[in-house]
Amino acid sequence: MKERTIFLLAAFLFCSASLFSQSTYFKESKDWLQKSEACKPSLIYKEYKPLRIVKSVKDEKAYQGWRMEDAGSTDVLFKESFKKHSGVVLDFGEHITGNLTFSLKLLGSVTADAPIRLKFTFAEVPGELNTPFDPYPGGLSRAWLQDEIMTLGTVPIETTLERRVSFRYLKIDILGASSFDFAFDKISFKAQSSVETMTDTGLAETTDPLIRRINEVGLVTLKECMQTVYEDGPKRDRRLWIGDLYLEALANAYSYKNHLLTKRCLYLLGALADEEGLLHATVLEEPEPHPQEGTHCLDYSLIYNIALLEYVRTTGDVETARDLWPVVVRQIEMTLRQFSEEWIYDMEKQPVYWLVFDWKDGYDRQASMQGLTILALNKSYELAKLLGKEKEVKEWPSLASKMKKAARKHFYDKKQGVVLSGAGRQVSYLSQVWMILSETLTKKEGAAAMKKVLSMPDACYPGCPYGYHYVMEALLECGMDKEAKDLLVSYWGGMVNKGADTFWEVYDPNNDALSPYGFFPMNSYCHAWSCTPVYFINKYPEVFQK
Ligand code: RAM
């Protein structure tokens, strides 16, 4: 018995150590984890009530074929038997994240003789409520879909749904009830975020109303994702990813200015790097901070370096950058291992890393990774100078030049004026973008390349707002302000015109049902990486507010 207890204890210690351990590569990681915890924000709660009853209307012109129409006051739910209203859809008026509380009462002088079984379906967009979840065809866990069944043993009763949900619309179905009548006594929702809602960043009066609305929707999107870390999406995956963190931090710097949250996330990621010092692309907070073991995206590792530089520039917090400097160096070292002797990023070299850049099938990422590496070398060197560490990494600028030279030779077709990527010599928006951002192309060459791809119907265009963020950056970088404004209005404005009150994870104007997960209700419709109009509109008033 004693032996068994010792064995179980040893097994438990081993498991918890491997699950929750900080990086063994960086000896400071325990300290970083503590610093991260010290910056954990308290949540701010706000109570919401459903505003109206709505009904789904099939409409080919509406996003994903469905729109909501007003169907009256919610008063009936508190007065009439709910048995008359099974299937009702409530509109809470805006996207919120948190927990639902409700109470039921008996109608008439009866007693409850059986339990009641209710089904709650929470939806971010109307299409989610009108697409059967089963049989489930998707790739990610079915459990992300927000339908919950509750069996209530007695009436009257007050209860809270334990699951945190993220939604605007709530459908309630009766799955089982006896002959007695009951109604709602209360329906309320405790919404949470680590920042107070902000609807205005003080835009100039000359700002176009659609751009004003894009800014508002971006602010709500960001607020919803700002929980105790920068989440990627409050519905799914509810965790910190490096690529999302970077874009959220950019938008935060021009709105909520909660820089402690950025600091928390930078330390957390550093503390949870793997045994080689490579960052995990994503980490989770519960039950203890831990990485999503084995998930690495080499482009995200480099984005971390850029995010840290941006954080120091915004806050002047050199101390944090000094702490995390070894992480920066290690991400560069790990990336350099993937290059050929000719300084070209080798897509086949083992281990072959996942490169994100965009959710888009068939997009060749080689030229993009070459460009991003050059950019990250230069930005990381800027950070070194800021910290007085340039001697430590004196070879970085010349490495970046070598890579640029190699890139121009290998990827740039001077005659056509565009960057080509991979064995298929693919022309994509993002290949141009990363060669522009890394200054591998001159501004003039960049502008010509962007003009060309924007007018090429068969060029590979981005599949989601993350990719389009960098397209915007590149357009502004090469002086194409008008094109940048047009893109903001057509792409993010396109979502607004289709009814978005938060920006979506994936948006292809040509395909409303697009999903990287094989089932569009699985997409996140309030997604961190889509909030960056807040950054663009407020950073460049001369472009977007006139
Ligand atoms: C998705 C996440 C996140 C993104 C990664 C690569 O699953 O929602 O936004 O960073 O993929």
Side-chain angles (χ1 to χ4, degrees):
M1 189 61 197
K2 205 172 151 204
E3 263 171 32
R4 191 176 138 81
T5 314
I6 292 171
F7 169 75
L8 284 176
L9 190 68
F12 170 75
L13 288 175
F14 173 78
C15 290
S16 49
S18 61
L19 182 62
F20 304 140
S21 69
Q22 306 98 40
S23 172
T24 46
Y25 186 86
F26 300 112
K27 57 179 186 333
E28 309 84 348
S29 53
K30 199 168 165 211
D31 183 37
W32 295 347
L33 200 56
Q34 276 165 6
K35 289 190 174 172
S36 165
E37 286 304 295
C39 298
K40 188 171 180 170
S42 327
L43 292 171
I44 300 163
Y45 297 99
K46 203 172 150 192
E47 197 189 349
Y48 283 79
K49 305 258 183 219
L51 299 183
R52 306 287 298 164
I53 293 178
V54 288
K55 70 167 195 275
S56 299
V57 178
K58 209 170 175 29
D59 179 350
E60 266 178 31
K61 285 197 217 106
Y63 181 58
Q64 297 173 338
W66 292 95
R67 66 181 164 78
M68 290 299 185
E69 210 172 77
D70 191 348
S73 158
T74 57
D75 287 355
V76 287
L77 303 181
F78 302 94
K79 289 186 196 141
E80 297 176 6
S81 172
F82 189 58
K83 288 199 268 177
K84 284 207 267 177
H85 297 286
S86 179
V88 71
V89 180
L90 303 176
D91 180 1
F92 281 72
E94 61 187 278
H95 192 283
I96 41 181
T97 297
N99 294 83
L100 180 81
T101 294
F102 64 92
S103 58
L104 298 176
K105 62 187 176 195
L106 289 166
L107 290 182
S109 51
V110 286
T111 50
D113 66 337
I116 289 171
R117 197 164 161 81
L118 298 177
K119 180 175 168 189
F120 298 85
T121 311
F122 297 87
E124 297 184 303
V125 291
E128 248 173 306
L129 279 187
N130 295 287
T131 311
F133 291 168
D134 300 298
Y136 174 62
L140 299 182
S141 165
R142 158 73 175 81
W144 284 117
L145 298 169
Q146 301 183 114
D147 54 340
E148 295 293 312
I149 291 171
M150 277 187 114
T151 303
L152 306 157
T154 57
V155 179
I157 191 167
E158 171 160 330
T159 189
T160 296
L161 214 80
E162 208 188 306
R163 176 178 183 177
R164 196 195 87 178
V165 289
S166 226
F167 76 113
R168 172 172 169 177
Y169 304 106
L170 164 61
K171 184 174 180 210
I172 311 172
D173 293 287
I174 301 182
L175 299 188
S178 178
S179 56
F180 65 89
D181 284 317
F182 63 96
F184 279 93
D185 203 24
K186 165 178 154 187
I187 305 176
S188 86
F189 192 83
K190 190 175 168 192
Q192 62 172 68
S193 163
S194 58
V195 288
E196 293 270 13
T197 315
M198 180 187 235
T199 51
D200 191 8
T201 44
L203 302 182
E205 275 182 14
T206 43
T207 311
D208 178 275
L210 180 56
I211 293 190
R212 203 172 270 284
R213 180 68 192 138
I214 294 172
N215 190 50
E216 275 168 24
V217 173
L219 284 168
V220 179
T221 308
L222 178 59
K223 179 263 293 180
E224 285 289 273
C225 296
M226 289 175 78
Q227 300 290 335
T228 45
V229 291
Y230 283 115
E231 293 185 6
D232 57 339
K235 178 182 91 172
R236 203 223 79 240
D237 309 324
R238 297 177 49 164
R239 73 196 64 169
L240 173 63
W241 285 84
I242 299 172
D244 301 78
L245 149 76
Y246 173 48
L247 300 197
E248 288 176 280
L250 288 179
N252 172 58
Y254 286 89
S255 54
Y256 298 102
K257 298 189 177 19
N258 182 1
H259 305 305
L260 277 186
L261 188 64
T262 312
K263 181 175 172 179
R264 163 167 168 74
C265 295
L266 290 166
Y267 271 117
L268 190 59
L269 285 158
L272 299 173
D274 77 359
E275 66 288 348
E276 283 189 289
L278 184 63
L279 290 168
H280 284 95
T282 179
V283 300
L284 298 98
E285 295 176 276
E286 301 292 343
E288 294 289 335
H290 65 283
Q292 191 168 318
E293 218 49 78
T295 303
H296 300 286
C297 307
L298 209 52
D299 56 331
Y300 274 15
S301 283
L302 294 178
I303 290 288
Y304 178 91
N305 292 8
I306 298 173
L308 183 59
L309 172 67
E310 200 61 41
Y311 167 77
V312 186
R313 277 188 183 151
T314 308
T315 59
D317 177 5
V318 179
E319 202 188 307
T320 294
R322 205 177 293 288
D323 273 357
L324 296 170
W325 170 246
V327 181
V328 170
V329 175
R330 193 60 185 151
Q331 304 321 295
I332 296 285
E333 287 170 353
M334 294 296 281
T335 307
L336 293 181
R337 301 197 313 190
Q338 303 305 113
F339 274 74
S340 73
E341 280 174 11
E342 292 77 41
W343 293 111
I344 294 293
Y345 186 80
D346 185 343
M347 299 288 277
E348 247 101 78
K349 199 161 188 171
Q350 296 296 328
V352 171
Y353 287 104
W354 175 17
L355 304 176
V356 181
F357 285 105
D358 190 28
W359 273 131
K360 177 80 174 181
D361 288 342
Y363 149 54
D364 191 285
R365 289 157 169 83
Q366 190 186 20
S368 302
M369 189 57 186
Q370 180 88 14
L372 171 57
T373 309
I374 297 165
L375 178 70
L377 272 169
N378 288 332
K379 295 272 185 189
S380 306
Y381 190 71
E382 261 181 61
L383 190 59
K385 285 199 285 190
L386 240 153
L387 301 174
K389 296 201 180 270
E390 60 271 45
K391 279 205 193 110
E392 243 182 65
V393 292
K394 56 179 182 313
E395 69 287 1
W396 284 359
S398 71
L399 268 182
S401 312
K402 280 184 198 151
M403 282 184 193
K404 255 188 207 177
K405 222 170 143 198
R408 287 186 67 89
K409 201 167 142 209
H410 193 86
F411 298 105
Y412 186 48
D413 182 331
K414 246 193 162 155
K415 238 186 176 170
Q416 291 192 65
V418 284
V419 173
L420 305 172
S421 185
R425 315 296 282 155
Q426 182 190 65
V427 183
S428 71
Y429 285 35
L430 289 173
S431 295
Q432 320 307 313
V433 161
W434 286 103
M435 289 300 175
I436 291 167
L437 297 177
S438 60
E439 296 176 13
T440 302
L441 299 187
T442 64
K443 286 196 193 324
K444 207 170 148 207
E445 289 168 339
M450 284 315 290
K451 282 205 175 99
K452 186 147 187 182
V453 287
L454 289 174
S455 67
M456 277 172 74
D458 49 355
C460 174
Y461 60 92
C464 71
Y466 184 72
Y468 274 110
H469 168 86
Y470 296 102
V471 177
M472 290 284 295
E473 292 272 27
L475 291 173
L476 292 165
E477 174 72 27
C478 45
M480 296 171 73
D481 294 358
K482 185 184 171 309
E483 287 81 353
K485 189 174 178 180
D486 289 350
L487 178 61
L488 185 101
V489 166
S490 67
Y491 189 69
W492 282 272
M495 287 189 249
V496 167
N497 288 333
K498 288 185 180 182
D501 35 33
T502 47
F503 288 123
W504 309 326
E505 173 184 18
V506 176
Y507 174 53
D508 181 339
N510 302 315
N511 182 5
D512 284 358
L514 184 72
S515 171
Y517 317 109
F519 190 49
F520 73 80
M522 185 54 70
N523 295 4
S524 154
Y525 291 94
C526 173
H527 211 70
W529 67 20
S530 313
C531 72
T532 55
V534 171
Y535 158 76
F536 291 116
I537 296 167
N538 293 283
K539 180 171 180 186
Y540 303 101
E542 67 289 359
V543 180
F544 300 103
Q545 298 184 32
K546 282 217 167 107

